[in-house]
Amino acid sequence: MSGLVPRGRRLAVDVGSVRIGVASCDPDGMLATPVETVARSSDGRDLTRIAELVAEYEAIEVIVGLPTTLRGEHGAAADAATGFGARIARRIDPVPVVFHDERLTTVAATAMLRASGRSTRSHKAVIDQAAAVAILQSWLDQRARQYPVGGAAGE
């Protein structure tokens, strides 16, 4: 099926064992910006908060960072991210959840924060948001290369 890439906000999540960084983009899919950091929880409050953000931002898609190894293999962190993605997908259905390779996004986010003069030790929550921004911006940039303005999207 072909058509134009739909206009609308996307959310990205960087799933960690302690925190989840969340980012959003503008409706035209040009620029990713940080939203917030959500604490992980075993009682589903993290899933509830992500679902609330999807509704609040009227997101048409959620991009979950998939932490693969430098060889492109999936380990325990990738399994945790896919499990979280599946749980959030059930909560926000029919909004689709897609996975995007997040190799080195936390490293890039940390370097970016250091370059801006921020202490990464005292701003761990900001790093999670910056990693989500990096995931979303990477996804947006890849999509823009695949489907230039006015281009068709197809499955």
Side-chain angles (χ1 to χ4, degrees):
M1 178 176 217
S2 289
L4 293 178
V5 174
R7 189 172 183 276
R9 292 185 187 276
R10 272 86 176 169
L11 287 185
V13 294
D14 176 48
V15 182
S17 59
V18 178
R19 291 173 301 276
I20 302 163
V22 183
S24 178
C25 68
D26 60 285
D28 292 321
M30 302 296 285
L31 184 63
T33 57
V35 172
E36 73 178 67
T37 300
V38 177
R40 287 297 302 263
S41 65
S42 58
D43 63 2
R45 282 182 289 155
D46 51 356
L47 295 167
T48 299
R49 182 62 187 143
I50 301 296
E52 289 170 351
L53 289 169
V54 169
E56 179 182 331
Y57 281 80
E58 298 177 345
I60 64 165
E61 200 164 23
V62 173
I63 293 78
V64 175
L66 187 61
T68 56
T69 67
L70 291 177
R71 291 181 176 176
E73 298 169 349
H74 293 206
D79 291 343
T82 55
F84 184 87
R87 288 189 300 280
I88 197 63
R90 286 191 294 274
R91 290 270 183 120
I92 63 171
D93 186 51
V95 176
V97 171
V98 296
F99 294 92
H100 182 69
D101 186 350
E102 69 162 63
R103 272 180 264 192
L104 304 178
T105 55
T106 301
V107 173
T110 301
M112 179 180 64
L113 288 172
R114 280 192 185 132
S116 70
R118 293 187 84 161
S119 163
T120 55
R121 181 174 292 269
S122 62
H123 293 93
K124 290 184 185 227
V126 175
I127 292 172
D128 296 313
Q129 289 177 36
V133 167
I135 291 164
L136 184 53
Q137 194 64 56
S138 170
W139 184 88
L140 292 168
D141 293 346
Q142 180 181 3
R143 189 190 68 167
R145 286 189 300 274
Q146 289 175 329
Y147 309 109
V149 174
E155 295 296 318

